[in-house]
Amino acid sequence: MPVDELPVRHADAFADATRHPFLTAVRDGTIAPSAFHTWLVQDARFVADLLRFQARLLARAPRAAQEVLARGALALVQELDWFEERAAARGLDLSAPALPATTAYANLLERLDGADVPAALTALWTIERTYLDAWSAALPGAPAYREFVEHWTAPGFGGYVAGLAAAADAVGGGDERVFLEVVAAEIAFWDMAVATR
Ligand code: MP5
């Protein structure tokens, strides 16, 4: 099925990943700074893990998917710079150890390295689509966190997610099991940030 049907078909799970209390609190400015900092440090680790997954996917992707994946990989490299700047501005140590949800998500990505290309593209699209919708729910964002909300709600990001959808659909993506696994990992990631306040 087209990947865009997956969040419709699994609306409750998708809502849990995209309407999380973490995001409401970022919108309202009531997020505990320690919870936000936990998220930031762990998300920087996640992005490094995602870059590894995406580079491997690029290496085995069909010709038509190469450009969107290569552009996305460069965006991840630049995002790692951005995380380093944001962490430095807040005095955060990005070398802090991975928490269990981050490790579990990294393990899922490693497993998806071994999945077929349609499944892996569906996973990548799900990763990005959940972030697009999740941060959109936090708009406009409390001033202290606005740069993060703007980062994942910029028009260019929506265009990237649409490009990934086209790439996944072109190879017959839309694997429901993979979608639900990624959505569960996203929920656990938000839960982790809030739980470690
Ligand atoms: C993304 C992210 C989006 N940064 N963190 C999690 C836990 N899920 C999805 O990926 P990107 O590449 O930062 O847009």
Side-chain angles (χ1 to χ4, degrees), residues 39 42-44 46-47 50-51 54 72 75-76 79 82-83 105 124 126-132 135 151-152 157 160-161 182 185-186 189-190 192:
W39 166 80
Q42 296 301 312
D43 211 51
F46 171 81
V47 171
L50 182 60
L51 175 57
Q54 186 148 343
L76 289 175
E79 193 168 66
W82 183 75
F83 267 108
Y105 211 154
L124 179 59
T126 306
I127 289 166
E128 302 294 2
R129 173 65 196 271
T130 51
Y131 246 45
L132 174 65
W135 287 95
H151 183 76
W152 282 288
F157 184 52
Y160 175 54
V161 175
V182 171
E186 288 288 328
F189 206 87
W190 296 127
M192 162 184 69

Side-chain angles (χ1 to χ4, degrees), residues 42 97-107 188-189 192 196:
Q42 296 301 312
L99 291 172
T102 312
T103 303
Y105 211 154
N107 291 342
F189 206 87
M192 162 184 69
T196 52

Side-chain angles (χ1 to χ4, degrees), residues 3-192:
V3 290
D4 278 331
E5 281 183 24
L6 292 166
V8 180
R9 188 173 283 220
H10 300 284
D12 289 348
F14 192 64
D16 287 344
T18 56
R19 299 286 180 272
H20 195 276
F22 179 96
L23 298 154
T24 325
V26 166
R27 183 191 65 204
D28 298 343
T30 54
I31 188 84
S34 59
F36 191 80
H37 292 162
T38 297
W39 166 80
L40 196 161
V41 170
Q42 296 301 312
D43 211 51
R45 295 193 78 102
F46 171 81
V47 171
D49 296 336
L50 182 60
L51 175 57
R52 198 169 308 118
F53 169 74
Q54 186 148 343
R56 289 182 177 144
L57 179 53
L58 170 59
R60 63 196 177 103
R63 186 66 195 91
Q66 286 173 345
E67 176 149 350
V68 70
L69 291 172
R71 283 184 191 276
L74 177 58
L76 289 175
V77 173
Q78 293 166 342
E79 193 168 66
L80 286 172
D81 289 340
W82 183 75
F83 267 108
E84 284 168 13
E85 289 160 16
R86 304 279 56 81
R90 290 164 191 257
L92 301 175
D93 177 11
L94 284 184
S95 67
L99 291 172
T102 312
T103 303
Y105 211 154
N107 291 342
L108 172 60
L109 291 177
E110 272 192 26
R111 193 147 49 78
L112 289 164
D113 276 339
D116 61 23
V117 167
L121 279 171
T122 300
L124 179 59
W125 170 82
T126 306
I127 289 166
E128 302 294 2
R129 173 65 196 271
T130 51
Y131 246 45
L132 174 65
D133 282 40
W135 287 95
S136 299
L139 275 166
Y145 308 113
R146 192 154 294 167
E147 62 184 330
F148 294 90
V149 180
E150 286 174 350
H151 183 76
W152 282 288
T153 57
F157 184 52
Y160 175 54
V161 175
L164 290 177
D169 288 344
V171 292
D175 185 312
E176 293 184 87
R177 196 177 48 78
V178 165
F179 173 80
L180 289 171
E181 276 187 303
V182 171
V183 164
E186 288 288 328
I187 296 167
F189 206 87
W190 296 127
D191 286 347
M192 162 184 69

